[in-house]
Amino acid sequence: MALGRGLGELLGEVETAYSNSNDIDTNNAIIELDINLVNPNPNQPRKIFDEDKLKELSDSIIEHGLLQPVTVIEDGKGSYTLIAGERRLRAHKLANLDTIKATIIDIEEFKLRELALIENIQRDDLNIVELAYSYAQLLNEHDITHDELSKKVFKSRTSITNTLRLLQLNSYVQQMLANDKISAGHGKVMLGLDEELQRKVADSIYGQKLSVRETEALVRELKSSNSKNEKNVRKKQKVSYDFKPLETAIENLKKSDLKVKAEKNYFKIEIKSQEDIEKISNLLS
């Protein structure tokens, strides 16, 4: 579904909502809301929050107050849904504060997710995995191409594509990326590996503090080792067949002074002359 307005205009609307009270019109005045009436955005792409940083923000709000209000939308039930400011809302709750400064904006409900995604991409420190999910949601749910997204969020198309590729990694590796235990460069090297190898490589990177270059060497080594193992397995798995149904044919070939060998998965007739070919042809016919 294409949106009625472009991402740039929507982003501008969020920027306006973040302006100080002297710069916004009366429709977007900052008010104090009962914190229990503000519900988190269910479409919030950010899932992991640093508890230490939240505590620092909470302490700062207690000492200095909230300098930047959160942005909300009325949900029609006497309460509000958060558009932007998830960390600030969490920090208020951590500080056991009863109210929070907020700006109420009037915007259609179906744009709620898009605003939250763009606000996070542009203004907050999403980890690389959350950023990838945000890109994917914008692309899939709002009829946006990679090129359009690139222009709207001021990221190169290559950067967006490479970030999205990280979603191909398994959840274990994605969690390590989200927690900064490995880098996006490490993740890129693991693309294409099966789940077991991804986990093995990720643990090696973290445990041995491997660089991206060292990880590339490790992956090459593992791929080479796996390739050899697969070849050995295939050799061991060669089937042995029962040649009893061919006993009569084998006897006839031997009676014609032909050397025959039948074992495991092959049947061999040694040919030493054109006469041998004639013998075989006569027996077959």
Side-chain angles (χ1 to χ4, degrees):
M1 174 177 62
L3 295 177
R5 289 180 292 167
L7 290 180
E9 187 176 346
L10 289 173
L11 181 56
E13 190 169 29
V14 174
E15 294 288 353
T16 299
Y18 274 131
S19 299
N20 62 49
S21 58
N22 294 324
D23 294 331
I24 57 179
D25 58 37
T26 55
N27 292 327
N28 285 339
I30 297 173
I31 63 173
E32 288 281 343
L33 287 180
D34 183 335
I35 201 165
N36 295 317
L37 295 179
V38 181
N39 301 312
N41 185 345
N43 300 317
Q44 163 66 250
R46 184 170 192 169
K47 306 301 180 187
I48 301 172
F49 294 84
D50 188 307
E51 294 300 326
D52 291 334
K53 289 183 179 180
L54 273 180
K55 183 62 168 63
E56 289 176 6
L57 178 58
S58 178
D59 292 341
S60 175
I61 290 171
I62 292 172
E63 183 175 354
H64 305 291
L66 181 62
L67 303 180
Q68 189 178 54
V70 298
T71 308
V72 299
I73 183 173
E74 293 186 71
D75 60 13
K77 303 175 183 177
S79 54
Y80 303 84
T81 299
L82 193 69
I83 291 286
E86 178 80 14
R87 289 182 69 249
R88 280 161 278 163
L89 178 61
R90 287 175 178 248
H92 269 66
K93 290 181 177 179
L94 189 61
N96 294 316
L97 297 174
D98 296 325
T99 62
I100 187 169
K101 288 181 181 178
T103 298
I104 303 173
I105 62 173
D106 181 17
I107 187 169
E108 296 88 337
E109 184 68 25
F110 72 86
K111 292 172 182 172
L112 181 61
R113 182 189 293 264
E114 186 177 21
L115 274 175
L117 291 170
I118 297 172
E119 190 271 341
N120 276 277
I121 290 172
Q122 291 290 85
R123 303 187 65 91
D124 213 344
D125 55 344
L126 289 179
N127 66 60
I128 191 67
V129 176
E130 291 169 328
L131 183 61
Y133 276 109
S134 297
Y135 287 158
Q137 288 172 353
L138 279 170
L139 291 168
N140 296 332
E141 298 176 18
H142 297 284
D143 196 26
I144 299 169
T145 66
H146 282 218
D147 286 332
E148 289 170 339
L149 182 58
S150 172
K151 293 173 184 176
K152 300 303 181 181
V153 300
F154 307 104
K155 302 281 186 179
S156 72
R157 191 183 188 285
T158 300
S159 172
I160 290 172
T161 300
N162 286 337
T163 300
L164 284 166
R165 290 181 67 207
L166 297 176
L167 298 181
Q168 299 171 23
L169 297 168
N170 67 37
S171 58
Y172 181 81
V173 177
Q174 286 186 28
Q175 188 62 41
M176 293 188 74
L177 280 167
N179 292 330
D180 291 327
K181 291 183 176 180
I182 61 175
S183 71
H186 290 121
K188 185 178 177 181
V189 175
M190 286 184 275
L191 289 168
L193 298 179
D194 61 40
E195 289 205 9
E196 183 181 349
L197 273 183
Q198 284 183 30
R199 180 184 285 264
K200 184 175 183 179
V201 172
D203 286 340
S204 297
I205 293 169
Y206 182 65
Q208 301 175 37
K209 309 300 181 187
L210 300 181
S211 66
V212 173
R213 189 179 294 271
E214 289 169 332
T215 303
E216 290 173 343
L218 173 62
V219 169
R220 283 195 299 269
E221 182 182 338
L222 289 172
K223 284 183 176 179
S224 175
S225 176
N226 276 5
S227 178
K228 290 177 182 178
N229 290 337
E230 287 175 4
K231 287 180 181 178
N232 291 334
V233 169
R234 283 197 294 270
K235 286 180 181 178
K236 291 178 181 179
Q237 289 179 340
K238 284 185 177 180
V239 181
S240 295
Y241 294 98
D242 181 6
F243 287 96
K244 286 184 179 179
L246 294 177
E247 281 183 350
T248 301
I250 292 171
E251 285 301 317
N252 289 334
L253 288 167
K254 288 181 177 179
K255 287 177 182 178
S256 299
D257 296 324
L258 291 167
K259 191 174 181 180
V260 182
K261 192 173 184 180
E263 61 180 38
K264 292 185 178 178
N265 64 340
Y266 70 88
F267 183 83
K268 178 180 177 182
I269 303 174
E270 187 174 332
I271 296 172
K272 295 181 179 179
S273 65
Q274 184 63 37
E275 184 181 356
D276 288 344
I277 296 176
E278 296 293 337
K279 291 177 182 179
I280 295 170
S281 177
N282 291 333
L283 288 169
L284 292 175
S285 61

